């Protein structure tokens, strides 16, 4: 993957001349000082002392004199305690950022890191016959954000919903449907009626264990292509997909493939054969496993003693299918960290099989979601449905909007964007590996560092921009030197430095598979803009500062695009 170079660091690296070192050697040594008052960038001279046989302070002085003896773009170059510090003209820098964003608009931040290479992302992966609960939120929105960001950065992306559409739970559902199913209730309540049947099955099975034998037999009938069992299985699947697609629409989530576990049933045998041929598949108490004790892991169970395959078997088949079908550069699995061992085993088996692309398979782990009163359990019916959370968030948003701006046009649409955005941002605002304790007060908090705060700041920018008719035409020409003077001040310099960093932030998200880096960045943008707005008049006695309006447009563009990448709407009025 090509490196995203910082233009200012590269300029400094090109100007520093040290015997025996190239600009490529110097570039990674250039850093941002902890105290920005010292400069925008600093080059430490300590490691050169032994080679050049001079004190670091003297080396810094010599390099300063050399840089200043030639044409340069710096406001100042200072040698301080063995560091060579560089300051750029903040006003010129702000003007450059504005010009770039005005020219690129929502393309700003993109960089062709991908060069057309393919990334497959396995995310959400809902279970058939179970409603979308709050536990599915993280996988869904993290995967969706990565999908959009990888695309923006030049990758070809394949979004995969690896459906949980195989296993004995379908036998349980068939038994439950035959015993207690009500077609009228199914037609009326759909997936929620299916879930109630699933919960009732487990309650009844505690008193009557013989139901489990019936469930195993019912699932066997699906495997044996029994027409009636297959008909029920397809009905359960159809009801589920219709329900979850409504949630995906609200979350702006799309997939390119819905190939789930069932899809790989006829693709496991070649993989198992290859494992046997390579001497990796061994018998253990009648089961077939890959022994991983030399790698500090328990055996990877692939075929049970009764001949049944497992989740790991289908995941192996899926990995081969994805490599053969998409020739992926990276194959991502956005799955909770509870599955860490599963993916360590899976990737190790691929490596032992001699697959060089095993290293390109990545488990993008995230923390678990629990309720304030404890963990969730679909079997016990102790869950919070995601659709209920979204509805409640939208309801609260509408109440707040009505109170603050009762005349707002299309309030219901704005409330949907704000409420859903609050929930999505909640899931994406912290490092993905952190556990989340779900509580309505947290999710629906509209103050502070939240999705609604970002949306409101963006709407404020739009409101300012609309005060100037044809503002895009107004901003299209380069700023004059006199106009650039309006970009003086600490608040402006801080804001432009943050805006300039968007491409690097997106590259960091791609490298670390961490959308929260973008979430935190957008909060920094919004906070910096609000400080800029307080310190600077954009319209003064009817006269518009073109430079400051340009800065406002730049913030609007970055916030709107950043929200889109996270899967959050950006209403123009709130």
């Amino acid at each position: 993957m090509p490196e995203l170079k910082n233009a200012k660091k590269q300029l400094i690296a090109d100007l520093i001349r040290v015997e025996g070192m190239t600009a490529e050697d110097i570039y990674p040594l250039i850093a941002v000082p902890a105290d920005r008052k010292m400069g925008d960038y600093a080059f430490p001279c300590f490691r050169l002392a032994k080679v050049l046989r001079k004190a670091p302070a003297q080396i810094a002085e010599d390099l300063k004199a050399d840089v200043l003896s030639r044409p340069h773009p710096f406001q100042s170059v200072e040698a301080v305690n063995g560091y060579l510090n560089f300051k750029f003209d903040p006003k010129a820098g702000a003007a450059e950022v504005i010009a770039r964003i005005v020219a690129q608009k929502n393309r700003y931040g993109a960089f062709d890191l991908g060069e057309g290479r393919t990334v497959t992302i396995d995310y959400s992966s809902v279970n058939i016959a179970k409603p979308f609960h709050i536990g599915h939120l993280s996988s869904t929105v993290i995967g969706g954000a990565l999908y959009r960001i990888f695309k923006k950065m030049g990758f070809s992306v394949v979004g995969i919903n690896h459906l949980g559409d195989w296993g004995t739970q379908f036998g349980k559902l068939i038994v439950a449907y035959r015993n207690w199913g009500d077609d009228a209730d199914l037609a009326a309540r759909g997936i929620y009626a299916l879930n109630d049947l699933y919960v009732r099955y487990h309650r009844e099975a505690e008193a009557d264990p013989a139901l489990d034998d019936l469930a195993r037999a019912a699932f066997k009938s699906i495997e044996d292509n029994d027409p009636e069992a297959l008909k029920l299985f397809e009905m359960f699947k159809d009801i589920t997909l219709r329900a979850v697609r409504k949630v995906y629409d609200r979350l702006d989530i799309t997939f390119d493939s819905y190939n789930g576990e069932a899809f790989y049933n006829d693709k496991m045998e070649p993989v198992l054969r290859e494992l046997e041929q390579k001497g990796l598949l061994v018998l253990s108490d009648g089961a077939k496993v890959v022994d991983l004790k030399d790698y500090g892991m328990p055996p990877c169970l692939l075929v049970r003693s009764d001949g049944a395959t497992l989740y790991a078997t289908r995941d192996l088949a899926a990995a081969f299918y994805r490599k053969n079908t998409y020739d992926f550069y990276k194959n991502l699995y956005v799955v909770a960290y509870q599955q860490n061992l599963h993916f360590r085993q899976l990737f190790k088996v691929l490596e032992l099989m001699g697959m060089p692309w095993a290293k390109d398979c990545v488990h993008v782990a995230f923390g678990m979601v629990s309720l304030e009163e404890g963990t969730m359990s679909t079997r016990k019916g102790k869950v919070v449905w995601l659709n209920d959370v979204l509805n409640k968030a939208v309801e609260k948003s509408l109440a707040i909007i009505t109170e603050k701006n009762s005349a707002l046009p299309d309030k219901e649409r704005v409330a949907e964007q704000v409420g859903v955005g609050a929930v999505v941002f909640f899931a994406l605002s912290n490092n993905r590996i952190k556990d989340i304790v779900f509580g309505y007060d947290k999710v629906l908090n509209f103050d502070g560092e939240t999705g609604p705060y970002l949306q409101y700041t963006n709407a404020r920018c739009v409101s300012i921009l609309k005060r100037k008719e044809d503002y895009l035409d107004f901003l299209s020409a380069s700023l004059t030197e006199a106009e650039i003077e309006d970009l003086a001040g600490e608040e402006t310099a801080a804001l432009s430095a943050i805006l300039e960093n968007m491409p690097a932030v997106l590259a960091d998200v791609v490298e670390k598979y961490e959308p929260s880096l973008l979430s935190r960045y957008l909060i920094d943008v919004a906070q910096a803009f609000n400080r800029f707005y307080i310190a600077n008049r954009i319209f003064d006695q009817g006269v518009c500062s073109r430079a400051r309006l340009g800065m406002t447009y730049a913030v609007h563009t970055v916030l709107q695009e950043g929200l889109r990448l996270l899967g959050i709407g950006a209403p123009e009025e709130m």
Side-chain angles (χ1 to χ4, degrees):
M1 188 187 298
E3 181 186 358
L4 177 58
K5 289 289 185 76
N6 178 299
K8 289 182 177 177
K9 280 178 63 175
Q10 188 62 58
L11 193 152
I12 293 170
D14 290 338
L15 284 172
I16 292 176
R17 297 192 296 201
V18 177
E19 187 177 351
M21 294 184 75
T22 67
E24 290 299 306
D25 300 324
I26 292 169
Y27 179 90
L29 303 179
I30 300 167
V32 175
D35 182 359
R36 291 302 292 265
K37 291 178 181 176
M38 301 299 293
D40 298 311
Y41 295 95
F43 177 66
C45 300
F46 305 96
R47 66 171 60 193
L48 306 180
K50 189 174 182 181
V51 176
L52 299 180
R53 300 187 178 187
K54 291 182 183 178
Q58 184 59 52
I59 295 171
E61 289 288 353
D62 292 346
L63 291 177
K64 170 186 171 182
D66 182 52
V67 169
L68 292 178
S69 71
R70 291 173 284 126
H72 64 82
F74 307 115
Q75 186 179 55
S76 67
V77 181
E78 298 293 338
V80 181
N81 299 325
Y83 288 90
L84 190 61
N85 296 333
F86 299 86
K87 274 188 180 178
F88 289 88
D89 181 349
K91 292 178 291 185
E96 288 172 15
V97 170
I98 292 168
R100 203 177 314 142
I101 296 176
V102 168
Q104 296 178 4
K105 300 181 174 61
N106 62 0
R107 299 189 310 279
Y108 179 67
F111 178 73
D112 191 11
L113 287 174
E115 297 180 332
R117 286 173 290 191
T118 297
V119 172
T120 55
I121 309 179
D122 177 334
Y123 59 107
S124 195
S125 301
V126 293
N127 293 314
I128 296 301
K130 295 180 184 177
F132 216 131
H133 61 68
I134 193 68
H136 293 122
L137 176 65
S138 294
S139 174
T140 303
V141 299
I142 291 170
L146 291 176
Y147 182 95
R148 287 181 285 267
I149 293 167
F150 268 94
K151 271 197 167 183
K152 184 177 180 74
M153 302 305 275
F155 292 87
S156 174
V157 188
V158 180
I160 300 169
N161 196 334
H162 187 76
L163 298 173
D165 59 359
W166 203 247
T168 54
Q169 69 266 33
F170 295 103
K172 295 174 182 179
L173 264 176
I174 287 176
V175 171
Y177 175 79
R178 286 171 177 166
N179 284 336
W180 313 293
D182 181 330
D183 287 337
D185 188 35
L186 265 182
R189 296 196 303 124
I191 197 168
Y192 297 102
L194 281 181
N195 184 72
D196 288 348
L197 285 174
Y198 186 73
V199 171
R200 180 168 180 179
Y201 171 89
H202 284 280
R203 189 171 65 242
E204 299 281 352
E206 287 181 5
D208 183 8
L211 286 173
D212 287 337
D213 294 328
L214 293 174
R216 281 188 285 271
F219 179 59
K220 183 69 165 54
S221 67
I222 296 174
E223 292 182 303
D224 293 340
N225 294 318
D226 175 74
E228 193 235 349
L230 285 176
K231 183 179 178 182
L232 290 176
F233 174 71
E234 291 299 330
M235 179 180 74
F236 299 154
K237 189 170 180 176
D238 182 61
I239 289 171
T240 305
L241 289 178
R242 275 191 277 122
V244 299
R245 277 175 174 144
K246 290 178 182 176
V247 180
Y248 289 140
D249 286 346
R250 297 185 79 177
L251 295 173
D252 191 25
I253 296 291
T254 58
F255 297 96
D256 304 292
S257 167
Y258 279 87
N259 290 336
E261 290 186 73
F263 178 78
Y264 298 102
N265 278 339
D266 62 351
K267 298 171 180 61
M268 294 180 288
E269 193 56 40
V271 180
L272 292 171
R273 256 197 323 270
E274 184 171 347
L275 283 164
E276 285 182 336
Q277 289 166 359
K278 292 181 175 179
L280 294 169
L281 202 60
V282 297
L283 283 174
S284 175
D285 296 326
K288 294 180 179 181
V289 306
V290 177
D291 186 1
L292 298 176
K293 67 175 178 293
D294 289 345
Y295 307 97
M297 289 180 272
C300 181
L301 178 60
L302 296 177
V303 183
R304 288 200 311 232
S305 56
D306 62 2
T309 54
L310 293 99
Y311 189 77
T313 329
R314 284 180 282 279
D315 259 1
L316 272 176
F320 276 94
Y321 177 83
R322 291 172 192 175
K323 184 60 180 177
N324 293 334
T325 304
Y326 306 114
D327 190 24
F328 56 72
Y329 164 71
K330 293 291 179 185
N331 178 30
L332 311 184
Y333 298 84
V334 186
V335 181
Y337 67 58
Q338 282 188 334
Q339 297 298 318
N340 280 355
L341 176 60
H342 167 78
F343 286 106
R344 282 177 58 217
Q345 289 178 314
L346 177 69
F347 302 159
K348 179 55 70 174
V349 171
L350 290 169
E351 181 187 325
L352 292 174
M353 292 178 76
M355 300 302 130
W357 46 267
K359 69 182 186 315
D360 301 322
C361 296
V362 181
H363 177 203
V364 181
F366 58 85
M368 299 300 294
V369 177
S370 62
L371 303 176
E372 288 177 331
E373 60 270 25
T375 56
M376 292 186 287
S377 170
T378 310
R379 293 183 178 190
K380 296 178 181 177
K382 188 181 179 183
V383 289
V384 173
W385 305 130
L386 183 54
N387 220 34
D388 291 344
V389 173
L390 297 179
N391 288 340
K392 190 165 184 177
V394 171
E395 181 184 327
K396 179 170 182 176
S397 301
L398 183 59
I400 294 171
I401 289 167
T402 301
E403 179 186 345
K404 294 189 174 183
N405 189 0
S406 59
L408 178 68
D410 209 0
K411 283 187 294 187
E412 289 75 14
R413 182 185 61 81
V414 174
E416 174 76 11
Q417 290 180 307
V418 174
V420 172
V423 175
V424 172
F425 192 82
F426 168 77
L428 294 177
S429 57
N430 293 306
N431 188 297
R432 59 177 161 76
I433 206 65
K434 282 189 176 182
D435 288 334
I436 297 174
V437 179
F438 175 81
Y440 277 108
D441 288 342
K442 293 178 184 176
V443 173
L444 305 180
N445 180 5
F446 286 74
D447 299 318
E449 298 176 358
T450 64
Y453 170 68
L454 295 178
Q455 291 169 316
Y456 180 76
T457 303
N458 178 65
R460 168 182 272 182
C461 290
V462 174
S463 175
I464 293 166
L465 291 167
K466 286 183 174 179
R467 289 177 61 185
K468 181 64 180 176
E469 190 176 352
D470 297 326
Y471 62 84
L472 275 176
D473 289 340
F474 180 65
L475 297 173
S476 60
S478 298
L479 295 172
T480 66
E481 287 194 18
E483 289 173 326
I484 289 174
E485 289 302 312
D486 280 352
L487 297 174
E490 289 183 14
E491 296 82 6
T492 307
L495 177 56
S496 69
I498 293 171
L499 292 174
E500 184 181 28
N501 207 32
M502 187 182 189
V505 170
L506 294 178
D508 215 15
V509 172
V510 163
E511 182 182 347
K512 297 173 182 174
Y513 316 111
E514 183 57 82
S516 70
L517 296 172
L518 176 58
S519 303
R520 304 308 305 168
Y521 169 76
L522 295 178
I523 290 292
D524 290 344
V525 170
Q527 290 175 338
F529 172 75
N530 285 313
R531 289 190 289 270
F532 162 84
Y533 181 69
I534 290 168
N536 294 279
R537 285 184 176 275
I538 297 169
F539 290 88
D540 190 5
Q541 297 180 344
V543 178
C544 175
S545 165
R546 205 158 68 92
R548 292 171 184 165
L549 192 72
M551 186 64 78
T552 304
Y553 175 79
V555 171
H556 156 62
T557 301
V558 166
L559 287 179
Q560 181 174 260
E561 178 64 1
L563 287 167
R564 182 192 73 80
L565 291 171
L566 294 178
I568 298 173
E572 293 194 347
E573 195 174 354
M574 288 175 65

